[in-house]
Amino acid sequence: MEQEFKQTETDVRFLQDMLQEKQLQIELLQNQLSQRIRNYHDVEAREEQIRQELQYKENALQELRQTVQVKEVELHRLQDQLQQQARFLSGIQEQLVQGLDRLQGQIQRETPAPLVAVG
């Protein structure tokens, strides 16, 4: 009987040790699961942040494209205006050259012959 009692006591201790070990394993697994859940939430939060940044940058890019289009239109307008002014100045230059040519022609016709001393 005493032998049975000792055996039962040993069995109880063994079962208590197994129970404690299983509880430690469960605690470890729960900690791992909690850590994975935290990591998952961190990843989700980071993903949302990246999505927001991407949306912001896409909006900024769209605004920049629109600004570039406006500037290109302005550039073409200014180039056309510059070409018109260059043609205008070229016309004025041509008129000045013609005026100078006429003026030189008049000066040559109006200039008396040089005086020559006879002697």
Side-chain angles (χ1 to χ4, degrees):
M1 182 106 159
E2 192 176 311
Q3 184 67 18
E4 267 183 51
F5 180 74
K6 286 185 179 183
Q7 183 63 33
T8 306
E9 189 179 327
T10 305
D11 289 345
V12 167
R13 277 193 221 129
F14 174 75
L15 290 174
Q16 285 176 341
D17 287 347
M18 277 187 58
L19 178 62
Q20 186 178 11
E21 186 179 324
K22 293 298 178 188
Q23 286 175 337
L24 288 173
Q25 288 176 352
I26 289 171
E27 186 179 327
L28 175 68
L29 291 172
Q30 284 177 334
N31 288 338
Q32 288 177 345
L33 180 60
S34 294
Q35 183 62 40
R36 287 181 181 178
I37 290 171
R38 280 192 298 276
N39 290 345
Y40 177 76
H41 288 300
D42 290 345
V43 167
E44 278 187 330
R46 180 68 181 136
E47 182 181 2
E48 180 59 29
Q49 181 184 7
I50 290 171
R51 279 191 183 126
Q52 289 175 357
E53 288 176 18
L54 178 62
Q55 184 63 46
Y56 172 79
K57 289 179 181 185
E58 284 175 348
N59 292 342
L61 177 62
Q62 185 62 30
E63 288 177 19
L64 286 174
R65 285 181 176 156
Q66 290 173 351
T67 301
V68 167
Q69 287 176 342
V70 168
K71 296 296 181 185
E72 285 176 345
V73 168
E74 179 70 10
L75 176 64
H76 290 302
R77 187 187 67 77
L78 289 173
Q79 285 175 334
D80 290 344
Q81 188 177 4
L82 181 62
Q83 287 175 354
Q84 288 174 355
Q85 290 176 352
R87 285 191 296 270
F88 177 75
L89 288 175
S90 179
I92 291 175
Q93 183 181 14
E94 191 176 315
Q95 289 175 359
L96 285 173
V97 167
Q98 290 172 359
L100 282 174
D101 287 345
R102 275 188 251 135
L103 192 59
Q104 285 177 349
Q106 286 176 353
I107 291 174
Q108 286 177 357
R109 280 179 268 147
E110 294 176 4
T111 305
L115 299 174
V116 178
V118 182

